[in-house]
């Protein structure tokens, strides 16, 4: 097992280096003057002298050969110099860090209903195959899968906000925004609900939670059907295995047969799918954040793409790619823990 993990860890720097090269290559067809706008506040460009502009081009290697430009860009990136964000009107690093907590908070709250409830539904549907519960779960999930993300999100907004006035969009209500910006409110983690609890403000906690429920409902119902399509047939296959029939023949309780003998083996093919969903949550769900007006990394990336904010798009692509690579490494390790045969691969 240790050797398996070491091999994966040794590959990680090489993969990340390849990712940075691909991301860098995305906009290198642009000329030096256009590329300079990705690194410097555009409002300052008109005020720069030709000598200052040449100095900046030299700093970022915009007049150099491709490989030299890449090395300089990589060095600047490692120092945290990702350029200037047109969308955030601030350095890209600050713009990303300002929005990252909103994406992380949504992901943390969405993991349980999206992944664990989805797997639970798939197991229940398989155990009650052909019965009313099986048909109900499958129809319920497939109806959700049939909706595009933005359509279902708009329906959730229409019902729970426009009609019932229960689940508002955004990150917080205006009064709560004023509270968390005040000097008396300490931002320990930058996550609204956790900081609210640490500050003893249950009203802020509940307000932040209300703004999370709508996106979580949308993500959950949309992804349950996909997870159900993987979990249910995998569970059905395991339930027909010889060792499961043997366990039942020995008179073991059905919950022991399901939970101890069947479910763990059924989760082997589900792990990759569920892990990919978690990676997607932490990478930023672009459509859901945009529909619900959450100022997370996903909506930031969408705005950057619309405004041709090259520096922000490159930084977001690098962020998403890094999350994907590291997340897949974690999935590989979990896969090996669940299935001992993988350790020899």
């Amino acid at each position: 097992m240790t050797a398996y993990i070491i091999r994966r860890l040794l590959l990680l720097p090489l993969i990340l280096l390849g990712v940075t090269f691909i991301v860098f290559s995305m906009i290198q067809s642009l000329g030096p003057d256009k590329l300079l706008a990705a690194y410097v506040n555009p409002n300052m460009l008109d005020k720069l002298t030709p000598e200052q502009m040449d100095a900046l081009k030299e700093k970022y290697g915009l007049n150099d050969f491709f490989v030299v430009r890449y090395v300089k860009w990589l060095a600047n990136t490692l120092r945290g110099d990702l350029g200037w964000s047109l969308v955030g009107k601030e350095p890209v690093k600050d713009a990303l860090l300002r929005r990252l907590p909103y994406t992380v908070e949504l992901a943390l709250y969405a993991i349980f209903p999206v992944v664990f409830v989805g797997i639970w539904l798939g197991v229940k549907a398989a155990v009650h195959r052909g019965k009313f519960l099986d048909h109900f779960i499958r129809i319920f999930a497939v109806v959700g899968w049939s909706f595009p993300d933005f359509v279902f999100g708009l329906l959730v907004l229409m019902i729970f906000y426009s009609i019932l006035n229960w689940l508002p969009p955004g990150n917080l209500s205006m009064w709560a925004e004023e509270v968390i910006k005040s000097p008396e409110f300490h931002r320990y983690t930058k996550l609204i609900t956790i900081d609210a609890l640490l500050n003893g403000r249950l009203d802020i906690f509940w307000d932040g939670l209300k703004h999370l429920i709508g996106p979580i409902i949308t993500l959950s119902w949309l992804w349950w059907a996909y997870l159900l399509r993987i979990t249910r047939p995998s569970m059905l296959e395991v339930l027909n295995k010889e060792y499961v029939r043997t366990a039942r023949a020995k008179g073991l309780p059905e919950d022991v047969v399901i939970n101890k003998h069947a479910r763990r083996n059924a989760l082997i093919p589900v792990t990759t799918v569920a892990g990919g969903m978690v990676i997607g949550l932490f990478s930023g769900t672009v459509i859901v954040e945009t529909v619900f007006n959450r100022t997370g990394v996903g909506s930031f990336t969408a705005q950057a793409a619309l405004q041709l904010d090259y520096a922000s798009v490159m930084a977001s692509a690098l962020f998403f790619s890094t999350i994907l690579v590291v997340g897949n490494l974690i999935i590989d390790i979990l896969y090996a823990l669940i299935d001992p045969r993988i350790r020899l691969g």
Side-chain angles (χ1 to χ4, degrees):
M1 180 63 182
T2 304
Y4 176 84
I5 295 176
I6 291 175
R7 287 199 301 271
R8 295 300 185 272
L9 290 175
L10 290 176
L11 284 173
L12 184 61
L14 296 176
I15 296 173
L16 288 175
L17 190 64
V19 167
T20 61
F21 186 80
I22 294 172
V23 170
F24 174 77
S25 303
M26 288 169 52
I27 64 169
Q28 292 311 302
S29 60
L30 300 175
D33 292 333
K34 287 187 177 181
L35 283 175
L36 186 60
Y39 295 99
V40 183
N41 184 346
N43 296 326
M44 299 295 296
L45 283 178
D46 296 334
K47 302 177 182 178
L48 296 176
T49 64
E51 292 77 14
Q52 290 173 322
M53 293 186 68
D54 290 338
L56 286 172
K57 290 178 182 178
E58 177 65 26
K59 175 185 177 181
Y60 294 109
L62 301 183
N63 291 322
D64 295 327
F65 292 111
F66 181 86
V67 175
V68 178
R69 289 205 309 271
Y70 169 70
V71 172
K72 289 187 176 181
W73 173 82
L74 186 60
N76 289 327
T77 298
L78 293 175
R79 289 196 296 266
D81 186 359
L82 299 171
W84 181 266
S85 172
L86 296 176
V87 173
K89 296 180 174 59
E90 58 184 337
V92 173
K93 181 183 72 172
D94 296 336
L96 280 175
L97 291 177
R98 192 185 307 278
R99 290 160 175 80
L100 183 59
Y102 297 112
T103 295
V104 171
E105 188 167 34
L106 174 59
L108 290 175
Y109 278 94
I111 285 175
F112 182 82
V114 169
V115 177
F116 294 102
V117 175
I119 292 174
W120 179 79
L121 288 172
V123 172
K124 283 292 182 183
V127 172
H128 296 85
R129 179 183 183 182
K131 298 180 181 178
F132 171 78
L133 183 61
D134 178 28
H135 295 307
F136 177 79
I137 291 175
R138 293 167 67 190
I139 292 173
F140 176 77
V142 170
V143 168
W145 182 254
S146 302
F147 282 96
D149 297 17
F150 68 94
V151 173
F152 190 75
L154 291 173
L155 285 174
V156 171
L157 273 177
M158 182 182 69
I159 296 171
F160 292 101
Y161 176 58
S162 299
I163 299 176
L164 300 176
N165 198 27
W166 287 354
L167 307 176
N171 303 315
L172 278 174
S173 300
M174 292 184 63
W175 65 268
E177 288 276 5
E178 295 298 322
V179 172
I180 67 171
K181 291 177 181 177
S182 65
E184 294 78 17
F185 191 91
H186 301 288
R187 301 299 300 273
Y188 299 103
T189 65
K190 304 298 183 182
L191 305 180
I192 294 172
T193 53
I194 295 177
D195 286 344
L197 292 176
L198 294 176
N199 282 270
R201 294 298 302 264
L202 293 179
D203 55 341
I204 303 293
F205 171 80
W206 174 238
D207 188 74
L209 194 60
K210 284 197 302 183
H211 286 77
L212 285 167
I213 294 175
I216 290 173
I217 291 174
T218 304
L219 290 170
S220 299
W221 200 1
L222 291 173
W223 288 4
W224 279 343
Y226 185 55
L227 201 53
L228 182 67
R229 292 174 63 184
I230 306 297
T231 306
R232 183 179 178 274
S234 177
M235 190 68 182
L236 287 174
E237 181 181 355
V238 170
L239 289 174
N240 290 322
K241 295 290 186 181
E242 185 67 30
Y243 62 86
V244 174
R245 292 198 293 266
T246 302
R248 283 172 170 161
K250 290 180 178 179
L252 293 178
E254 186 65 14
D255 59 340
V256 174
V257 174
I258 298 299
N259 297 324
K260 185 177 180 180
H261 294 277
R263 186 169 59 184
R264 177 169 178 172
N265 291 300
L267 288 181
I268 293 175
V270 179
T271 303
T272 304
V273 176
M277 289 181 174
V278 174
I279 292 171
L281 290 173
F282 281 100
S283 298
T285 49
V286 176
I287 295 178
V288 172
E289 285 186 354
T290 302
V291 169
F292 286 91
N293 196 30
R294 291 190 61 84
T295 54
V297 177
S299 60
F300 172 72
T301 304
Q303 294 174 29
L306 289 173
Q307 297 187 31
L308 298 180
D309 185 351
Y310 302 119
S312 296
V313 171
M314 285 181 64
S316 299
L318 186 62
F319 170 75
F320 295 152
S321 302
T322 303
I323 291 290
L324 181 63
V325 170
V326 176
N328 280 326
L329 172 66
I330 296 173
I331 292 172
D332 286 343
I333 295 173
L334 291 176
Y335 212 97
L337 290 172
I338 295 174
D339 187 358
R341 295 170 299 177
I342 303 297
R343 303 175 194 179
L344 301 176

